[in-house]
Amino acid sequence: MAVYLTLTAAVAMLALLVREEKMPLMNQGVTRQQLVNRVSCLFIFCLLFAVSALRLNVGNDYLKYVEFMHLVFSRAYVPTEIGFNALSYAVYYLCGFENYLLVFAIFSFATIYFFMKGIYDQSRWFTLSFVLFMLLGLYFQSLSTVRYYLALSMALYSVTFVIKKDWPRFILLVLLGSLFHKSLLVILVLYFLAQLKWKRWMYGLLFAGGVSCLFLKNIYLKIVIFLYPSYKDTEYLEGGTSYATILRCAIVLGFAIWLYKEEIEGDRAMEFFFICNLMALVLYVFGSFLPIISRIGYYLTVTHILFVPNLIVRMKDVRKRQVAIVATLLFGIGYFALYMRGAANDGVRILPYQTFLFHDLPLTLSERGYY
């Protein structure tokens, strides 16, 4: 855990240097602050990438992915998407051996890039957005759920195209990301709905849709099984929800309603974030029976790291803004502590941290010769 705590503290301090203020730098078209921003972001990226790329057997799915890569290279069937399969095969073929470390490094590079690019381009307060990115476990969970978090990072980055109504780029990015995790396709619907100018009847329809889950559960499950036949008769149909996420969405909703008239209404990006949070709350409250509900919900709640800082920085009352900052950081630290408390548990398993520099990979299923 010392590695993760040191990393979090180091990148948080570097993030403090990233600001919007601009100071001339020898009149060469690049301001002093822009140079500081770029250097700070570069160091942050390198630190995050180093910890991620150097890991070995860290993450719930690490050994499973190594096995999948081996099967792909052996031309056997694997349930993963074509993008993951093609990348794994290309790396193994070009390297001349089963270089799973390079595959993980490529995923780490792309995931961290899209997260940081999405935050830098869209947040009005990079420091707080990035700190929330770390404290809410988004970076650390990317060590465990590799394909999904690449898709999630691309979803966050795609928001900039949604706000600008640059639909060709948005659709192209989503289709590209879906080659690595097909669940990303859901944002074609979710983000399109969230960017609409919502009327009262639309809020009513959303609530009615949530309530209908109480009575039409079996029908909705049949639809899910039709779309994902591999879920049939598996543990994935057990569903489940996150009370911590419900609480988080409820707090964000209350904060947003309080500031809605002054800071949200009429701003396309802020209204988009508001609807994303509202849809996530309805989904988590009423859709707990849905398989892997978090896979859908995270595409909505990931916008919190943009929404909350953008709200806070808009607050005109300095004292209230300071209270909001402290409350946000305390919530983030509490969430981080709870996450790290279970970091060694099944389903996460990012502890203990190991690196290929000092450790060896356990035998995979194929190497043991049985399943």
Side-chain angles (χ1 to χ4, degrees):
M1 186 178 291
V3 172
Y4 297 146
L5 295 179
T6 303
L7 173 68
T8 302
V11 295
M13 287 189 289
L14 285 169
L16 288 171
L17 301 176
V18 181
R19 302 172 183 171
E20 291 187 354
E21 291 84 355
K22 293 177 172 51
M23 299 171 61
L25 179 67
M26 299 181 292
N27 298 320
Q28 294 182 354
V30 178
T31 67
R32 186 187 305 275
Q33 188 58 53
Q34 286 175 335
L35 183 61
V36 171
N37 291 350
R38 293 174 185 176
V39 173
S40 299
C41 286
L42 178 61
F43 274 103
I44 290 172
F45 180 91
C46 290
L47 288 173
L48 296 180
F49 176 70
V51 170
S52 183
L54 292 175
R55 77 189 191 279
L56 182 76
N57 196 25
V58 174
N60 192 60
D61 296 333
Y62 195 97
L63 280 179
K64 182 187 295 183
Y65 279 129
V66 173
E67 176 70 11
F68 284 164
M69 294 175 204
H70 169 75
L71 293 176
V72 166
F73 194 56
S74 303
R75 298 182 180 274
Y77 169 78
V78 289
T80 45
E81 287 83 356
I82 188 174
F84 174 84
N85 299 345
L87 176 63
S88 300
Y89 188 88
V91 169
Y92 279 25
Y93 179 80
L94 293 174
C95 291
F97 66 99
E98 299 193 3
N99 193 349
Y100 53 85
L101 294 173
L102 181 56
V103 178
F104 281 115
I106 292 173
F107 269 93
S108 299
F109 186 97
T111 301
I112 297 169
Y113 171 81
F114 281 118
F115 268 127
M116 290 194 64
K117 180 67 172 173
I119 294 171
Y120 190 85
D121 288 352
Q122 300 177 76
S123 178
R124 293 188 58 185
W125 190 1
F126 175 87
T127 300
L128 185 56
S129 288
F130 181 79
V131 168
L132 288 177
F133 165 68
M134 297 298 293
L135 294 181
L136 296 181
L138 292 172
Y139 166 73
F140 298 104
Q141 194 59 27
S142 73
L143 305 180
S144 181
T145 317
V146 176
R147 291 182 302 119
Y148 175 74
Y149 269 78
L150 172 61
L152 186 64
S153 69
M154 296 176 77
L156 182 69
Y157 177 63
S158 75
V159 171
T160 187
F161 300 128
V162 175
I163 302 304
K164 295 176 182 178
K165 293 187 177 182
D166 190 346
W167 301 117
R169 290 189 182 184
F170 170 67
I171 294 173
L172 182 61
L173 185 64
V174 172
L175 293 178
L176 177 62
S178 68
L179 296 178
F180 296 91
H181 206 286
K182 62 184 177 183
S183 67
L184 185 61
L185 293 172
V186 75
I187 72 171
L188 291 174
V189 176
L190 295 179
Y191 285 7
F192 176 77
L193 292 176
Q195 62 85 39
L196 296 174
K197 190 71 175 180
W198 277 51
K199 307 297 182 182
R200 289 185 179 180
W201 65 267
M202 299 173 73
Y203 290 103
L205 189 62
L206 176 64
F207 181 74
V211 173
S212 72
C213 293
L214 302 175
F215 307 98
L216 303 176
K217 174 181 175 180
N218 292 333
I219 294 177
Y220 291 150
L221 280 176
K222 288 181 180 179
I223 295 174
V224 170
I225 293 174
F226 174 77
L227 296 174
Y228 293 91
S230 60
Y231 286 174
K232 187 175 181 179
D233 299 326
T234 67
E235 60 182 6
Y236 294 124
L237 290 182
E238 294 177 2
T241 192
S242 170
Y243 295 109
T245 304
I246 291 176
L247 176 62
R248 189 172 112 198
C249 290
I251 293 174
V252 171
L253 179 62
F255 184 45
I257 291 176
W258 178 42
L259 298 173
Y260 190 86
K261 285 291 184 181
E262 296 82 8
E263 313 300 347
I264 296 178
E265 190 173 32
D267 187 297
R268 178 172 169 80
M270 298 301 283
E271 288 181 347
F272 172 84
F273 297 143
F274 179 84
I275 297 300
C276 280
N277 179 71
L278 183 61
M279 288 197 297
L281 182 58
V282 171
L283 180 65
Y284 278 106
V285 170
F286 295 104
S288 61
F289 65 93
L290 293 172
I292 318 181
I293 187 176
S294 61
R295 293 285 174 92
I296 303 174
Y298 276 16
Y299 287 126
L300 298 169
T301 59
V302 71
T303 59
H304 285 172
I305 64 176
L306 301 175
F307 188 29
V308 174
N310 285 3
L311 267 178
I312 292 176
V313 81
R314 288 165 171 257
M315 297 177 68
K316 299 176 179 61
D317 190 307
V318 176
R319 187 169 182 177
K320 290 180 179 178
R321 187 192 312 143
Q322 292 174 341
V323 172
I325 293 171
V326 172
T328 300
L329 290 176
L330 288 176
F331 182 90
I333 293 171
Y335 196 99
F336 181 76
L338 288 175
Y339 179 81
M340 284 300 168
R341 185 179 180 182
N345 297 343
D346 290 339
V348 182
R349 224 186 60 74
I350 63 170
L351 285 176
Y353 180 79
Q354 296 179 337
T355 169
F356 65 82
L357 299 176
F358 306 109
H359 301 87
D360 295 319
L361 187 71
L363 296 177
T364 62
L365 291 175
S366 295
E367 290 171 327
R368 290 199 300 264
Y370 61 90
Y371 287 83

Coordinates of all heavy atoms in Angstrom, one line a residue, residues 47-97:
L47 N 4.6 9.0 -13.8 CA 4.4 8.3 -12.6 C 3.3 7.3 -12.6 O 3.5 6.1 -12.2 CB 4.2 9.3 -11.4 CG 5.4 10.1 -11.0 CD1 5.0 11.2 -10.0 CD2 6.5 9.3 -10.5
L48 N 2.1 7.7 -13.1 CA 1.0 6.8 -13.2 C 1.3 5.6 -14.1 O 1.0 4.5 -13.8 CB -0.2 7.5 -13.7 CG -0.8 8.6 -12.7 CD1 -2.0 9.3 -13.4 CD2 -1.1 8.1 -11.4
F49 N 1.9 5.9 -15.2 CA 2.2 4.9 -16.2 C 3.3 3.9 -15.7 O 3.1 2.7 -15.9 CB 2.7 5.5 -17.5 CG 3.2 4.5 -18.5 CD1 2.3 3.7 -19.2 CD2 4.5 4.4 -18.8 CE1 2.7 2.8 -20.1 CE2 4.9 3.4 -19.8 CZ 4.0 2.6 -20.4
A50 N 4.3 4.4 -15.0 CA 5.3 3.6 -14.4 C 4.7 2.5 -13.4 O 5.0 1.3 -13.5 CB 6.4 4.4 -13.7
V51 N 3.9 3.0 -12.5 CA 3.3 2.1 -11.5 C 2.4 1.0 -12.2 O 2.4 -0.1 -11.8 CB 2.5 2.9 -10.5 CG1 1.7 1.9 -9.6 CG2 3.5 3.7 -9.6
S52 N 1.7 1.5 -13.2 CA 0.8 0.6 -13.9 C 1.5 -0.4 -14.8 O 1.2 -1.6 -14.8 CB -0.2 1.4 -14.7 OG -1.2 0.5 -15.4
A53 N 2.5 0.1 -15.6 CA 3.2 -0.8 -16.5 C 4.1 -1.7 -15.9 O 4.4 -2.8 -16.4 CB 3.9 0.1 -17.5
L54 N 4.7 -1.4 -14.7 CA 5.6 -2.3 -14.0 C 5.0 -3.4 -13.2 O 5.7 -4.2 -12.7 CB 6.6 -1.4 -13.2 CG 7.5 -0.5 -13.9 CD1 8.3 0.4 -12.9 CD2 8.5 -1.3 -14.8
R55 N 3.7 -3.3 -13.1 CA 3.0 -4.3 -12.2 C 3.1 -5.7 -12.8 O 3.1 -5.9 -14.0 CB 1.6 -3.8 -11.9 CG 0.6 -4.1 -13.0 CD -0.7 -3.5 -12.7 NE -1.8 -3.9 -13.6 CZ -2.0 -3.4 -14.8 NH1 -1.2 -2.5 -15.3 NH2 -3.0 -3.9 -15.6
L56 N 3.0 -6.7 -11.9 CA 2.9 -8.1 -12.3 C 1.9 -8.8 -11.4 O 2.0 -8.7 -10.1 CB 4.3 -8.7 -12.2 CG 4.3 -10.2 -12.6 CD1 4.3 -10.3 -14.1 CD2 5.6 -10.9 -12.1
N57 N 0.9 -9.4 -12.0 CA -0.1 -10.2 -11.3 C -0.8 -9.3 -10.2 O -1.2 -9.7 -9.1 CB 0.5 -11.4 -10.5 CG -0.6 -12.4 -10.1 OD1 -1.7 -12.4 -10.7 ND2 -0.3 -13.1 -9.1
V58 N -1.0 -8.0 -10.6 CA -1.7 -7.1 -9.8 C -3.1 -6.8 -10.5 O -3.1 -6.3 -11.7 CB -0.9 -5.8 -9.6 CG1 -1.8 -4.7 -8.9 CG2 0.3 -6.0 -8.8
G59 N -4.2 -7.0 -9.9 CA -5.5 -6.8 -10.5 C -6.2 -8.1 -10.5 O -5.6 -9.2 -10.8
N60 N -7.5 -8.0 -10.4 CA -8.4 -9.2 -10.3 C -8.3 -10.1 -11.5 O -8.4 -11.3 -11.5 CB -9.8 -8.8 -10.0 CG -10.7 -9.9 -9.7 OD1 -10.5 -10.6 -8.7 ND2 -11.7 -10.2 -10.5
D61 N -8.1 -9.4 -12.7 CA -8.2 -10.2 -14.0 C -6.8 -10.4 -14.6 O -6.7 -10.8 -15.8 CB -9.1 -9.4 -15.0 CG -10.5 -9.3 -14.5 OD1 -10.9 -10.2 -13.7 OD2 -11.2 -8.4 -14.9
Y62 N -5.7 -10.1 -13.9 CA -4.4 -10.1 -14.6 C -4.1 -11.5 -15.1 O -3.8 -11.6 -16.4 CB -3.3 -9.7 -13.5 CG -2.0 -9.4 -14.2 CD1 -1.7 -8.0 -14.4 CD2 -1.1 -10.4 -14.5 CE1 -0.4 -7.7 -15.0 CE2 0.1 -10.0 -15.1 CZ 0.4 -8.7 -15.4 OH 1.6 -8.4 -16.0
L63 N -4.2 -12.5 -14.3 CA -3.8 -13.9 -14.8 C -4.8 -14.3 -15.9 O -4.5 -15.0 -16.8 CB -3.8 -14.9 -13.7 CG -2.5 -14.9 -12.8 CD1 -2.7 -15.9 -11.7 CD2 -1.3 -15.2 -13.7
K64 N -6.1 -13.9 -15.7 CA -7.1 -14.3 -16.7 C -6.8 -13.7 -18.1 O -6.9 -14.3 -19.1 CB -8.5 -13.8 -16.3 CG -9.6 -14.2 -17.2 CD -10.9 -13.6 -16.8 CE -11.4 -14.1 -15.5 NZ -12.7 -13.5 -15.1
Y65 N -6.3 -12.4 -18.1 CA -5.9 -11.8 -19.3 C -4.7 -12.4 -19.9 O -4.6 -12.5 -21.2 CB -5.7 -10.3 -19.1 CG -6.9 -9.4 -19.1 CD1 -7.2 -8.6 -18.0 CD2 -7.9 -9.5 -20.1 CE1 -8.3 -7.8 -18.0 CE2 -9.0 -8.8 -20.0 CZ -9.3 -7.9 -19.0 OH -10.4 -7.2 -19.0
V66 N -3.7 -12.8 -19.1 CA -2.5 -13.5 -19.6 C -2.9 -14.8 -20.3 O -2.4 -15.1 -21.4 CB -1.5 -13.8 -18.5 CG1 -0.4 -14.6 -19.0 CG2 -1.0 -12.5 -17.9
E67 N -3.9 -15.5 -19.7 CA -4.4 -16.7 -20.3 C -5.1 -16.4 -21.6 O -4.9 -17.1 -22.6 CB -5.4 -17.4 -19.3 CG -6.0 -18.7 -19.9 CD -5.1 -19.8 -20.0 OE1 -3.9 -19.7 -19.5 OE2 -5.5 -20.8 -20.6
F68 N -5.9 -15.4 -21.6 CA -6.7 -15.0 -22.9 C -5.7 -14.7 -24.0 O -5.8 -15.1 -25.1 CB -7.6 -13.8 -22.6 CG -8.8 -14.2 -21.9 CD1 -9.6 -13.2 -21.3 CD2 -9.3 -15.5 -21.8 CE1 -10.8 -13.5 -20.6 CE2 -10.4 -15.8 -21.1 CZ -11.2 -14.8 -20.5
M69 N -4.6 -13.9 -23.7 CA -3.6 -13.6 -24.7 C -2.9 -14.8 -25.2 O -2.7 -14.9 -26.4 CB -2.6 -12.6 -24.0 CG -3.1 -11.3 -23.6 SD -1.8 -10.3 -22.8 CE -2.8 -9.2 -21.8
H70 N -2.6 -15.7 -24.4 CA -2.0 -17.0 -24.8 C -3.0 -17.7 -25.8 O -2.5 -18.3 -26.8 CB -1.7 -17.9 -23.6 CG -1.3 -19.3 -23.9 ND1 -0.1 -19.6 -24.5 CD2 -2.0 -20.5 -23.9 CE1 -0.1 -20.9 -24.7 NE2 -1.2 -21.5 -24.3
L71 N -4.2 -17.8 -25.4 CA -5.2 -18.5 -26.3 C -5.4 -17.8 -27.6 O -5.5 -18.4 -28.6 CB -6.5 -18.6 -25.5 CG -6.6 -19.5 -24.3 CD1 -7.9 -19.4 -23.6 CD2 -6.2 -20.9 -24.7
V72 N -5.4 -16.4 -27.6 CA -5.5 -15.7 -28.8 C -4.3 -16.0 -29.7 O -4.5 -16.3 -30.9 CB -5.5 -14.2 -28.5 CG1 -5.2 -13.4 -29.8 CG2 -6.8 -13.8 -27.9
F73 N -3.1 -16.0 -29.2 CA -1.9 -16.3 -30.0 C -1.9 -17.8 -30.5 O -1.3 -18.1 -31.5 CB -0.7 -16.1 -29.1 CG 0.6 -16.0 -30.0 CD1 0.7 -15.1 -31.0 CD2 1.7 -16.8 -29.6 CE1 1.9 -15.0 -31.8 CE2 2.8 -16.8 -30.4 CZ 3.0 -15.9 -31.5
S74 N -2.6 -18.6 -29.7 CA -2.7 -20.0 -30.1 C -3.9 -20.3 -31.1 O -4.2 -21.4 -31.4 CB -2.9 -20.9 -28.9 OG -1.8 -20.8 -28.0
R75 N -4.6 -19.2 -31.4 CA -5.7 -19.2 -32.3 C -6.9 -20.0 -31.7 O -7.7 -20.6 -32.5 CB -5.3 -19.7 -33.7 CG -4.3 -18.9 -34.4 CD -4.0 -19.4 -35.8 NE -3.0 -18.6 -36.5 CZ -3.2 -17.5 -37.2 NH1 -4.5 -17.1 -37.3 NH2 -2.3 -16.9 -37.8
A76 N -7.0 -20.0 -30.4 CA -8.1 -20.6 -29.8 C -9.2 -19.6 -29.5 O -9.0 -18.4 -29.6 CB -7.7 -21.3 -28.5
Y77 N -10.4 -20.1 -29.2 CA -11.5 -19.1 -28.9 C -11.3 -18.4 -27.6 O -11.0 -19.1 -26.6 CB -12.8 -19.9 -28.9 CG -14.0 -19.1 -28.4 CD1 -14.6 -18.1 -29.2 CD2 -14.4 -19.2 -27.0 CE1 -15.6 -17.3 -28.7 CE2 -15.5 -18.4 -26.6 CZ -16.1 -17.5 -27.4 OH -17.1 -16.7 -26.9
V78 N -11.6 -17.1 -27.6 CA -11.7 -16.4 -26.3 C -12.9 -15.5 -26.4 O -13.3 -15.0 -27.4 CB -10.4 -15.5 -26.1 CG1 -9.2 -16.4 -25.8 CG2 -10.1 -14.7 -27.3
P79 N -13.5 -15.1 -25.2 CA -14.7 -14.3 -25.2 C -14.5 -12.8 -25.3 O -15.5 -12.1 -25.3 CB -15.3 -14.7 -23.8 CG -14.2 -15.0 -23.0 CD -13.1 -15.7 -23.9
T80 N -13.2 -12.4 -25.4 CA -12.9 -11.0 -25.4 C -13.2 -10.4 -26.8 O -13.2 -11.1 -27.8 CB -11.5 -10.7 -25.0 OG1 -10.6 -11.7 -25.7 CG2 -11.4 -10.9 -23.5
E81 N -13.3 -9.0 -26.9 CA -13.6 -8.4 -28.1 C -12.4 -8.4 -29.1 O -11.3 -8.6 -28.7 CB -14.0 -6.9 -27.8 CG -15.4 -6.7 -27.2 CD -15.4 -6.9 -25.7 OE1 -14.3 -7.3 -25.1 OE2 -16.4 -6.8 -25.1
I82 N -12.7 -8.1 -30.4 CA -11.8 -8.2 -31.4 C -10.6 -7.3 -31.3 O -9.5 -7.6 -31.7 CB -12.5 -8.0 -32.8 CG1 -11.5 -8.3 -34.0 CG2 -13.0 -6.5 -32.9 CD1 -12.2 -8.2 -35.3
G83 N -10.8 -6.1 -30.7 CA -9.7 -5.1 -30.5 C -8.6 -5.7 -29.6 O -7.4 -5.6 -29.8
F84 N -9.1 -6.2 -28.4 CA -8.2 -6.8 -27.5 C -7.4 -8.0 -28.1 O -6.2 -8.2 -28.0 CB -8.9 -7.3 -26.2 CG -8.1 -8.1 -25.3 CD1 -7.4 -7.4 -24.3 CD2 -8.1 -9.5 -25.3 CE1 -6.6 -8.2 -23.4 CE2 -7.3 -10.2 -24.4 CZ -6.6 -9.5 -23.4
N85 N -8.2 -8.8 -28.8 CA -7.6 -10.0 -29.5 C -6.5 -9.6 -30.5 O -5.4 -10.2 -30.6 CB -8.7 -10.9 -30.1 CG -9.7 -11.4 -29.1 OD1 -9.4 -11.4 -27.9 ND2 -10.8 -11.9 -29.6
A86 N -6.9 -8.6 -31.4 CA -6.0 -8.2 -32.4 C -4.7 -7.6 -31.8 O -3.6 -7.8 -32.3 CB -6.7 -7.2 -33.3
L87 N -4.9 -6.8 -30.8 CA -3.7 -6.1 -30.2 C -2.8 -7.2 -29.6 O -1.6 -7.1 -29.8 CB -4.2 -5.1 -29.1 CG -3.0 -4.4 -28.3 CD1 -2.2 -3.6 -29.2 CD2 -3.6 -3.6 -27.2
S88 N -3.4 -8.1 -28.9 CA -2.6 -9.2 -28.2 C -1.8 -10.0 -29.2 O -0.6 -10.2 -29.1 CB -3.5 -10.1 -27.4 OG -4.2 -9.4 -26.4
Y89 N -2.5 -10.4 -30.3 CA -1.9 -11.2 -31.3 C -0.7 -10.4 -32.0 O 0.4 -11.0 -32.2 CB -2.9 -11.7 -32.4 CG -2.3 -12.7 -33.3 CD1 -2.4 -14.0 -33.1 CD2 -1.7 -12.2 -34.5 CE1 -1.8 -15.0 -33.9 CE2 -1.2 -13.2 -35.4 CZ -1.2 -14.5 -35.1 OH -0.7 -15.4 -36.0
A90 N -1.0 -9.1 -32.3 CA 0.0 -8.3 -33.0 C 1.3 -8.2 -32.2 O 2.4 -8.3 -32.7 CB -0.6 -7.0 -33.4
V91 N 1.1 -7.9 -30.9 CA 2.2 -7.7 -30.0 C 3.0 -9.0 -29.9 O 4.3 -9.0 -30.0 CB 1.8 -7.2 -28.6 CG1 2.9 -7.3 -27.6 CG2 1.2 -5.8 -28.7
Y92 N 2.3 -10.1 -29.6 CA 3.0 -11.4 -29.5 C 3.8 -11.7 -30.8 O 4.9 -12.2 -30.8 CB 2.0 -12.5 -29.2 CG 1.6 -12.5 -27.7 CD1 1.7 -11.4 -26.9 CD2 1.1 -13.7 -27.2 CE1 1.4 -11.5 -25.6 CE2 0.8 -13.8 -25.8 CZ 0.9 -12.7 -25.0 OH 0.6 -12.7 -23.7
Y93 N 3.1 -11.5 -31.9 CA 3.7 -11.8 -33.2 C 5.0 -11.0 -33.5 O 6.0 -11.5 -33.9 CB 2.7 -11.7 -34.3 CG 3.2 -12.0 -35.7 CD1 3.3 -13.3 -36.2 CD2 3.6 -10.9 -36.6 CE1 3.8 -13.6 -37.4 CE2 4.1 -11.2 -37.8 CZ 4.2 -12.5 -38.3 OH 4.7 -12.8 -39.5
L94 N 4.8 -9.7 -33.3 CA 6.0 -8.8 -33.6 C 7.1 -9.0 -32.6 O 8.3 -8.8 -33.0 CB 5.5 -7.3 -33.5 CG 4.5 -6.9 -34.6 CD1 4.0 -5.5 -34.4 CD2 5.1 -7.0 -36.0
C95 N 6.8 -9.3 -31.3 CA 7.9 -9.5 -30.4 C 8.5 -10.9 -30.5 O 9.7 -11.1 -30.1 CB 7.3 -9.4 -28.9 SG 6.8 -7.7 -28.5
G96 N 7.8 -11.8 -31.1 CA 8.3 -13.2 -31.3 C 8.2 -14.0 -30.0 O 8.7 -15.2 -30.0
F97 N 7.5 -13.5 -29.0 CA 7.3 -14.3 -27.8 C 6.0 -13.7 -27.1 O 5.5 -12.6 -27.5 CB 8.4 -14.3 -26.8 CG 8.8 -13.0 -26.2 CD1 8.4 -12.6 -25.0 CD2 9.5 -12.1 -27.0 CE1 8.7 -11.4 -24.4 CE2 9.9 -10.8 -26.4 CZ 9.4 -10.5 -25.1

